[in-house]
Amino acid sequence: MANRFAVLLAAGQGTRMKSKLYKVLHPVCGKPMVEHVADQVLQLDMDKIVTVVGHGAEQVQACLKGKTDFVLQEEQLGTGHAVLQAEPILGKEDGTTLVVCGDTPLLQAQTLKALFEEHEQKKAKVTILTANASDPTGYGRVIRNKAGLVEKIVEHKDATLEERNVREINTGVYCFDNRALFGALKQVSNDNAQGEYYLPDVVSILKSQGEIVVAYHTESMEETLGVNDRVQLAEAERIMRKRINEGHMKNGVTIIDPQQTYIDADVVVGQDTVIYPGTKLSGKTIIGEGCKIGPNSDIMDCIVGNGTEIRQSVAENSEIGAHVQVGPYAHIRPESLIADDARIGNFVEVKKSTVGKGSKASHLTYIGDAEVGAGVNLGCGTITVNYDGKHKFKTIIEDGAFIGCNSNLVAPVTIGKNAYVAAGSTITDDVPGEALSIARARQVNKENYANKLKHKQ
């Protein structure tokens, strides 16, 4: 197999997006468009990948760090000029070079692999990935001769009326003989409506030299969708979300309503998990087997163990063990660890805390900056008072402790093993293990006081 290289075009600003965020960095299903493209290309066992950056160069480089080399296109003078910037890295190499745009997030590795194979099998100097568009407006047209061979590619703005009626479009994805590519790029002119150096002109140049030019046609027009505005961005999101959801269902996940379930590209979900409508799984989330997630749950960058149920709740950047019950209406904030068999009930908030195995906070509780041991019961209305206005302090609740309802644990404080805190207490000092702590005013009943109040009124 010949050496394989790739050039990713990611220099454009994308003015039609009307955004401060550079076009290729707009996310689709939780990942920037250009990263989707790079990840698909990386599956092809490439010898070298070069990304052409321009607008937002630093942000694009940060996004793709460790995945590609980079070259800078200081002035955006067209796609041909962009590819030419990779010459210092690739210009002297022998092999096949894939050129792909960073705003085509729906492209899949198997399509690119087939393009490579067609190019190498036909011993072509250039192979164009084409598709048929129901509305080809804005796309370059693939013009064939009577024998069906590719003659040229004409940009929409430069096409005649007859050429604009052609529905076979250039997707902007090519395989080139590497040396032929850089040789022809130096002959490309900017004598066109845009005054730019078009990469497709390389096709005409190589054709005029008698070289073999091939078109590989894909049946999936939607896979080649380029994103240039927010409407196309939403369409790409819809298509990819459908693809992701169907992939999970084929792998044994039940999704009750795929049209109302939002799963990012890098999320992993185990078999026999059921996902209910309105649920969003994002970032690097990993869901175990046999879980029930949702309805209306939002889980970001979390690891969730087998058999856990999360209903109508939010969890972020945390680890939730196996057979845990969360919700409804719970909030697990970043850097929390909920151990196996725990219960985080309705209107419970956990922040940067550990909740031990089998411990329960069933309702209306705040656990912040705390270490809660195993088998602890936190009564309704319990609060770890962790903030004095300037600093955060830790609460430690050891195994088997029982915290009565409506208790305030003013940190820093430790509740010992198997200790009891009476309901309504405000605890400011450590409680020894096995002790009962009562920290509330003594109850006083004033007989017949109600009648006195009535007479006064």
Side-chain angles (χ1 to χ4, degrees), residues 49-70:
I49 303 174
V50 179
T51 299
V52 183
V53 296
H55 292 288
E58 291 182 359
Q59 294 95 317
V60 176
Q61 288 173 324
C63 172
L64 300 182
K65 184 178 180 180
K67 296 184 177 183
T68 83
D69 294 322
F70 300 95

Side-chain angles (χ1 to χ4, degrees), residues 13-42:
Q13 185 173 14
T15 55
R16 280 184 281 171
M17 297 296 287
K18 292 181 170 56
S19 175
K20 294 177 182 178
L21 183 65
Y22 299 104
K23 179 172 73 168
V24 298
L25 295 177
H26 278 265
V28 174
C29 291
K31 189 157 67 174
M33 289 191 284
V34 71
E35 190 174 2
H36 279 291
V37 177
D39 286 348
Q40 294 300 310
V41 173
L42 282 165

Side-chain angles (χ1 to χ4, degrees), residues 1 31 42 60 64 126 151 208 214 302 335 339 342 347 368:
M1 184 178 70
K31 189 157 67 174
L42 282 165
V60 176
L64 300 182
V126 54
E151 282 292 323
S208 69
V214 175
C302 288
E335 299 182 56
F347 303 104

Side-chain angles (χ1 to χ4, degrees), residues 195-386:
E196 294 185 350
Y197 298 90
Y198 291 147
L199 180 61
D201 287 353
V202 170
V203 176
S204 299
I205 291 169
L206 293 177
K207 185 72 175 178
S208 69
Q209 295 172 356
E211 303 290 1
I212 299 175
V213 176
V214 175
Y216 176 76
H217 186 271
T218 176
E219 296 298 326
S220 177
M221 175 62 194
E222 70 176 21
E223 186 178 332
T224 69
L225 176 70
V227 176
N228 293 300
D229 58 31
R230 306 291 183 126
V231 176
Q232 293 173 333
L233 183 68
E235 178 66 4
E237 178 90 17
R238 181 191 67 79
I239 294 168
M240 186 169 287
R241 183 169 68 245
K242 181 174 182 289
R243 182 190 295 173
I244 290 169
N245 289 350
E246 288 180 354
H248 285 297
M249 289 187 284
K250 289 176 181 177
N251 286 329
V253 176
T254 296
I255 300 178
I256 301 299
D257 187 349
Q259 292 184 339
Q260 295 190 58
T261 301
Y262 307 87
I263 303 177
D264 278 359
D266 292 332
V267 170
V268 177
V269 184
Q271 290 184 357
D272 294 320
T273 284
V274 180
I275 302 176
Y276 292 90
T279 292
K280 187 176 191 302
L281 307 178
S282 57
K284 305 293 184 181
T285 292
I286 299 173
I287 305 292
E289 297 182 353
C291 297
K292 292 182 180 179
I293 309 296
N296 304 312
S297 291
D298 186 350
I299 303 174
M300 176 186 296
D301 292 319
C302 288
I303 298 174
V304 178
N306 296 337
T308 286
E309 182 174 347
I310 302 176
R311 295 183 296 149
Q312 293 148 317
S313 296
V314 175
E316 310 161 72
N317 192 28
S318 294
E319 185 172 347
I320 302 168
H323 307 290
V324 173
Q325 297 290 312
V326 177
Y329 312 115
H331 187 182
I332 299 176
R333 290 168 58 188
E335 299 182 56
S336 294
L337 172 61
I338 313 301
D340 297 349
D341 303 311
R343 170 83 171 100
I344 306 297
N346 49 298
F347 303 104
V348 173
E349 181 176 358
V350 182
K351 174 254 177 185
K352 201 177 182 180
S353 296
T354 299
V355 177
K357 183 175 181 179
S359 291
K360 296 184 291 183
S362 295
H363 36 206
L364 297 163
T365 295
Y366 173 66
I367 307 169
D369 298 289
E371 291 182 9
V372 179
V376 170
N377 184 85
L378 298 172
C380 177
T382 295
I383 297 173
T384 61
V385 186
N386 60 329

